[in-house]
Structure formats: C-alpha cells, structure tokens
Amino acid sequence: MGGRGTRPFAVATSSCSAPGLVVAMLDLLAPDEGDAVLEIGTGTGWTAGLISARLGAGHVVSVEIDPAMAAQARANLEALGLTPHVVVGDGALGHPESAPYDRVHVSCGVRTVPYTWVEQARPGGVIVLPWMPGWQTGHLVRLRIEDGAASGRFHGTSGFMLMRSQRPAEDPITGAPRTGTSTLDPSELSAAPEGLSLAIAGLLPDVQGHAVTGPDGTLRVAARWNDSHALAVFPPDGTGALVEQRGPRDLWDELEAAVQHWNKWGRPGPERFGLSVTRQGQYVWLDSPSSPLRK
C-alpha cells in the first residue's frame, strides 16, 4: 500500500495477445486434426479456446503458473462449452504426464528455450514461441523437432511478457566509469534492423540492450549484463558518440565488434538467421544450423 499522497500500484503479470499476433502464431503452429497440443501460458484462455475449437478440447493441455488466472481461464472456457485441460504449474517444465505432443504453442516470452519442450514433443513436431533474448525486441520463431534437437527460422518481431522464471534481476552497477568515444555509424543502430538485432543477440547471449532516438535526434544505446553496463550517446549533429562503460566487461567494445561482424557478413536480414535448441543449450545460426554465430 502507498503512503499519504500516493496510490497503491500493481505490476501486471500477464497480458492478452493482440489478435493479429495470435493469428500469425497459429498459422505458424498449423495444428492438424488429431494433433496433441501443449500450450504454455493460458492467460485468459483465449488461445486455448481457439485451438480447442479446432481440434477438440481433449487434444489440448494448457499450463498456467498463476492459480487465480487458471481458474478464471477455466470459467471463461466453460462458458463457451470448451474444456481443455488447464494445469497450474511452471510452464518451463511443460506437462510430461500428457506427452508426447505434436505441437507446442508458447504464449509468453522466453530468453532460453527449455529443453523439456523439445523432449515432450514428437519427432517432426513443431514449437512456436516468442524468443526474447533481451536486445531491442522479441522474435517469433518456428522450431521443428529432429534427432533430439529443435531448429527453425524467425518469422517477424513480437513483444511478450517474459516467463516469470526468466525475468532478469538487475545487479547494482558499481565501479568507476571508463569513458571513451565511438565512431560507429549511428544509423546502423537507430534504424534497429531486425537482422542486426539477431546478430547481436546471437553473438552476445544474455546481454540486454536497446537503442532509442529522442525527439531532438539524440541516439542513446545502452547495454547491460549482470553488473556490467555501457551507454553511448550519439548527438544529432553526427559527431562521434560519448561512451561510458562500467563493470568487468567492456560491453560497448563487444557491441561494436558484433556490428562489425554483421557488416562483414553482408548485413544479412532476419530471413537468413535461425535458432537451434539442443540438450547442451541454444544458439543462433546464419543460413544453416551448421553455421553458429558463436563457435
């Protein structure tokens, strides 16, 4: 509760997806008659209801971490005569009791794709999810299961609330700043091309950041990893940026190197990038899963 002169406030823990995004994800999922579907993140029950209407409620399992939200979703669905199996639990664990699944539909953002979803899907199965590595925006990806791994390409940008267990905690920034300048072309970052965002996400996993242009034309680029931080300010007159770095990693230097790699590759667009998930972890690749960005 707030004190005098303030109002209580709450932080949203889930949200309802935009209709166009729901359609795009279901098109990528492409569930067919007889398919068993696992949904991660029931929310209001909207998407679970759409899939149930298509396949029959007996083919759909939906996992929701919030008991109150799960109860409301059941009520919403029952009011429409739909009864998919709504489970209260951590979506990162999937629902092994009803596995294997032909399709896995993820309605929350993930930075790291849980391998449990791969394990619980049939060979040839499909996982559709919003991958949100932390740089600029999220990306829709369609993964196909083969030989115990999941691989696939990206299909546009998206923004979802992160799965609760993957919401990052920020460590305090300490230490004296290291100042410098940058001659990086600000247009490469201000335009925020999706291909560059994917290259940065693949080369600098776990680094969060964004580039924002203010009303006066000043571009601010920030990057963060645990207790390391970098900020570059590009003035609108086109002169070099002022850079400040703190913490054990020189994040701006790493970011500049990632941009240089992207340029060296011929500035590839998002259609050339993909994501693979194996038992050992996940990685971004260029053109083929056999060409990971990080060796």
Side-chain angles (χ1 to χ4, degrees), residues 4-37:
R4 179 176 295 182
T6 65
R7 294 183 178 180
F9 67 91
V11 177
T13 60
S14 66
S15 62
C16 194
S17 303
L21 189 53
V22 171
V23 170
M25 292 184 69
L26 291 180
D27 280 346
L28 290 172
L29 192 70
D32 204 356
E33 185 175 352
D35 282 351
V37 177

Side-chain angles (χ1 to χ4, degrees), residues 32-293:
D32 204 356
E33 185 175 352
D35 282 351
V37 177
L38 171 66
E39 181 187 42
I40 307 298
T42 312
T44 63
W46 180 23
T47 308
L50 292 173
I51 299 173
S52 296
R54 170 72 173 83
L55 303 179
H59 292 269
V60 181
V61 176
S62 186
V63 182
E64 171 59 50
I65 196 169
D66 187 326
M69 184 67 73
Q72 182 61 58
R74 289 192 196 99
N76 294 342
L77 291 162
E78 288 171 3
L80 298 172
L82 300 171
T83 56
H85 186 27
V86 177
V87 179
V88 176
D90 184 353
L93 304 178
H95 189 64
E97 292 84 350
S98 299
Y101 303 97
D102 300 283
R103 298 288 188 270
V104 179
H105 180 272
V106 184
S107 297
C108 57
V110 294
R111 300 184 69 185
T112 302
V113 181
Y115 187 72
T116 50
W117 300 345
V118 180
E119 289 182 308
Q120 293 174 27
R122 297 182 192 276
V126 170
I127 304 174
V128 174
L129 61 96
W131 186 59
M132 299 183 61
W135 187 263
Q136 283 290 114
T137 186
H139 312 268
L140 288 183
V141 62
R142 183 182 191 270
L143 306 175
R144 188 172 182 83
I145 315 299
E146 291 183 7
D147 300 324
S151 292
R153 295 184 181 273
F154 296 100
H155 296 268
T157 59
S158 66
F160 276 74
M161 298 188 74
L162 278 170
M163 176 180 287
R164 294 193 193 184
S165 61
Q166 295 191 12
R167 295 177 187 178
E170 294 189 347
D171 296 328
I173 302 298
T174 59
R178 303 181 296 281
T179 59
T181 60
S182 175
T183 57
L184 194 67
D185 182 356
S187 66
E188 294 181 324
L189 292 166
S190 61
E194 190 183 354
L196 176 57
S197 294
L198 287 167
I200 292 172
L203 290 167
L204 304 178
D206 301 326
V207 173
Q208 303 171 66
H210 60 270
V212 178
T213 302
D216 66 348
T218 298
L219 172 66
R220 296 177 181 271
V221 184
R224 181 162 188 166
W225 176 85
N226 292 345
D227 58 349
S228 294
H229 180 261
L231 174 66
V233 180
F234 292 85
D237 61 9
T239 57
L242 298 177
V243 178
E244 181 178 284
Q245 303 185 88
R246 295 174 182 260
R249 288 178 63 176
D250 292 321
L251 290 182
W252 184 256
D253 297 347
E254 295 181 34
L255 180 60
E256 282 197 337
V259 175
Q260 290 166 5
H261 278 295
W262 181 65
N263 282 317
K264 183 180 67 177
W265 296 330
R267 302 167 66 91
E271 70 283 352
R272 291 183 57 191
F273 290 92
L275 181 71
S276 288
V277 181
T278 70
R279 190 178 296 276
Q280 289 71 40
Q282 66 181 30
Y283 63 91
V284 178
W285 42 265
L286 182 64
D287 295 327
S288 167
S290 62
S291 300
L293 298 195

